Amino acid sequence: MPKAIILRLESYLTYLGQLRSENKKTATSDELAKLFGISSSRVRQDLVALGATGKPRSGYGIAELEERIIQALDVDNKKKIALIGLGNLGRALAGSNVWSQGGFDLRAIFDKDPQLIGTEVHGLKVRSITELFGAIKSDGIAAACITVPASAAQPVTDLLVTAGIKGIWNFSPIEINVPAEVTVENMRLEQGLMTLSFRMRSQSSGMNK
Amino acid sequence: MPKAIILRLESYLTYLGQLRSENKKTATSDELAKLFGISSSRVRQDLVALGATGKPRSGYGIAELEERIIQALDVDNKKKIALIGLGNLGRALAGSNVWSQGGFDLRAIFDKDPQLIGTEVHGLKVRSITELFGAIKSDGIAAACITVPASAAQPVTDLLVTAGIKGIWNFSPIEINVPAEVTVENMRLEQGLMTLSFRMRSQSSGMNK
DNA sequence: TAGATTGTTAATCGATTAACAATC
DNA sequence: TAGATTGTTAATCGATTAACAATC
């Protein structure tokens, strides 16, 4: 499945949830296309790739589309994830519902600050990073979210890789090195802002090049 | 400038900073290409689009590249931005350095919780959302970061648009509606996790399709 | 000089849009 | 039935890679 389609399916899913909450039962390719600024044929091709079918005149069933997208992205299969680094951002994420929305189940929190170790955060006891290796092995944790300072990112990554982690959601502003079998998804907050910065100027100058 | 190039320039910038901190002076297209998993000719084309030139055998000057990317993205021109919604995520962002890294200067914080209004957060007094309109007008704020609950996102957006805001960094999991002249950059945390979820399965099943 | 790396053009690849017959 | 919308194929567009002469 091409990466571009995956990204759009995720966007469709968000919007379909909104439509369902408004009690709508069906959506047309043209409706989705207008919202996301793409052609309706692109939407139909995406939905064909997903294996969904619609009905001429009425469109696609919203519930069916949601279900298929969730299946395709493996969101219904909650994978165990650990959070490494309980700073401001880590704390905000720990208490959020992104984990289950994104297909994961937050099961462990690690930090190196002795003040934090042993405290309880959203039902999870904060553990020392020295316990990381053993805990991941014994708990069968598949993924990790890294919200540590840049300087700690690579050492923590190496530890995670050795412990057999399969996926990393990386918030540190660093390119971390991992072996080919480990999946890294970078979440770069600054990059979102930089894109906004660039687009605001292009917009205002009419320089759409 | 194509969106795909902008995204890569942002990535290059992050990595060039790392190289500079290691006291490296130059980088080759092949070096950058390997790191980001693209071809070296793509890197060279990106750098040509940026207006940078390199030297055969030695490569490109790191400091010059950084400077040109910062200029191209307008990161050196700090635009005034307001934060709307001081929940866990808003608080984490308020205290971070993403603003200046991304080309902005956080100048105002708004919330609707009376408990928070009047308190000081990272040198900024939290103001009532009812003051939003006037404050944005009088302070010349160009952009806003929305970290409010989904239900509040559209009303807050409408207010911001009326106040003349030019760009929105949206963390709420909603497609917000804005007129064409307003730039919206969505920061979807769940989508990052969903992509990780999908890629972890593709990876492990060897199903690279 | 020799050889690594740039700058650039042509070839390939993939993604998007256009178009339209099929159909509910 | 009539007409809106799907499913699908062909055409277009843009992005990436390959290749190589120029050059430091």
Side-chain angles (χ1 to χ4, degrees):
Chain A
M1 186 87 89
K3 166 127 190 165
I5 294 187
I6 294 299
L7 254 27
R8 278 193 300 271
L9 291 179
E10 291 167 2
S11 297
Y12 298 162
L13 183 61
T14 305
Y15 183 61
L16 290 168
Q18 285 179 243
L19 290 181
R20 184 167 36 81
S21 74
E22 293 162 10
N23 272 314
K24 282 202 61 177
K25 299 290 180 240
T26 60
T28 65
S29 58
D30 201 50
E31 205 174 339
L32 289 165
K34 288 234 169 65
L35 185 75
F36 294 105
I38 54 180
S39 70
S40 64
S41 59
R42 176 91 305 280
V43 174
R44 290 195 295 279
Q45 284 175 23
D46 289 347
L47 299 185
V48 164
L50 188 65
T53 54
K55 286 209 179 69
R57 293 230 45 164
S58 60
Y60 301 83
I62 286 174
E64 189 211 331
L65 284 189
E66 286 187 288
E67 197 176 321
R68 280 185 185 272
I69 295 173
I70 284 170
Q71 285 261 330
L73 301 175
D74 202 32
V75 168
D76 50 348
N77 166 32
K78 304 295 188 222
K79 296 156 284 288
K80 294 182 194 171
I81 192 167
L83 173 69
I84 328 289
L86 195 62
N88 289 326
L89 182 58
R91 196 175 295 272
L93 291 173
S96 77
N97 56 4
V98 289
W99 311 104
S100 74
Q101 282 178 0
F104 292 84
D105 184 12
L106 180 62
R107 294 291 278 271
I109 300 177
F110 297 93
D111 201 287
K112 73 173 216 290
D113 183 352
Q115 299 273 316
L116 293 174
I117 294 164
T119 64
E120 197 157 297
V121 175
H122 297 287
L124 292 169
K125 189 155 275 181
V126 181
R127 289 188 262 181
S128 165
I129 216 157
T130 58
E131 296 176 39
L132 187 63
F133 183 89
I136 283 176
K137 286 247 165 189
S138 63
D139 295 2
I141 287 175
C145 170
I146 299 187
T147 49
V148 299
S151 58
Q154 189 61 54
V156 163
T157 299
D158 294 342
L159 198 56
L160 289 166
V161 168
T162 316
I165 220 86
K166 291 282 165 266
I168 295 177
W169 196 27
N170 176 39
F171 279 81
S172 80
I174 283 259
E175 284 297 319
I176 55 176
N177 273 300
V178 295
E181 70 273 15
V182 176
T183 304
V184 175
E185 183 68 23
N186 289 311
M187 204 77 214
R188 295 276 159 74
L189 299 178
E190 331 71 82
Q191 293 198 0
L193 267 181
M194 285 189 217
T195 300
L196 180 63
S197 172
F198 171 80
R199 291 175 56 206
M200 281 173 71
R201 192 181 49 187
S202 310
Q203 177 78 271
S204 64
S205 65
M207 174 193 82
N208 294 322
K209 234 333 176 60
Chain B
M1 186 86 90
K3 166 127 192 167
I5 294 188
I6 293 299
L7 254 27
R8 278 193 300 270
L9 291 179
E10 291 167 1
S11 297
Y12 298 162
L13 183 60
T14 305
Y15 183 60
L16 290 167
Q18 285 180 243
L19 290 181
R20 185 167 37 81
S21 73
E22 294 162 9
N23 272 312
K24 283 203 60 178
K25 298 291 180 237
T26 60
T28 66
S29 58
D30 200 50
E31 206 174 336
L32 288 165
K34 288 233 169 65
L35 185 76
F36 295 105
I38 54 179
S39 69
S40 64
S41 59
R42 177 94 299 281
V43 174
R44 290 195 295 280
Q45 284 175 21
D46 289 346
L47 300 185
V48 164
L50 188 64
T53 54
K55 287 205 180 73
R57 293 233 43 166
S58 61
Y60 300 83
I62 286 174
E64 189 211 332
L65 284 189
E66 287 187 288
E67 197 176 322
R68 280 185 186 273
I69 294 173
I70 284 170
Q71 284 260 331
L73 300 175
D74 203 32
V75 169
D76 49 350
N77 166 31
K78 303 295 188 223
K79 296 156 285 289
K80 294 183 194 170
I81 192 167
L83 174 69
I84 328 288
L86 195 63
N88 289 326
L89 182 58
R91 197 175 295 272
L93 291 173
S96 77
N97 55 4
V98 288
W99 312 104
S100 73
Q101 283 179 1
F104 292 84
D105 184 12
L106 180 62
R107 294 291 279 272
I109 299 177
F110 297 92
D111 201 288
K112 72 174 218 287
D113 183 353
Q115 299 273 314
L116 293 174
I117 295 164
T119 63
E120 198 159 296
V121 175
H122 297 286
L124 292 170
K125 187 156 275 180
V126 180
R127 288 188 261 180
S128 165
I129 216 156
T130 58
E131 295 177 38
L132 186 64
F133 184 88
I136 284 176
K137 286 250 167 190
S138 62
D139 295 1
I141 287 175
C145 170
I146 299 187
T147 50
V148 299
S151 58
Q154 190 61 54
V156 164
T157 299
D158 295 342
L159 199 55
L160 289 166
V161 168
T162 316
I165 219 85
K166 291 281 166 267
I168 295 177
W169 196 27
N170 176 38
F171 279 81
S172 80
I174 282 258
E175 284 297 320
I176 55 176
N177 274 300
V178 295
E181 70 273 15
V182 176
T183 303
V184 175
E185 183 69 22
N186 290 311
M187 204 76 213
R188 294 278 160 74
L189 299 178
E190 332 71 80
Q191 293 198 1
L193 267 182
M194 285 190 217
T195 301
L196 180 64
S197 172
F198 171 79
R199 291 175 55 205
M200 280 175 70
R201 192 181 49 186
S202 310
Q203 177 78 270
S204 64
S205 65
M207 173 194 83
N208 293 322
K209 237 336 181 54

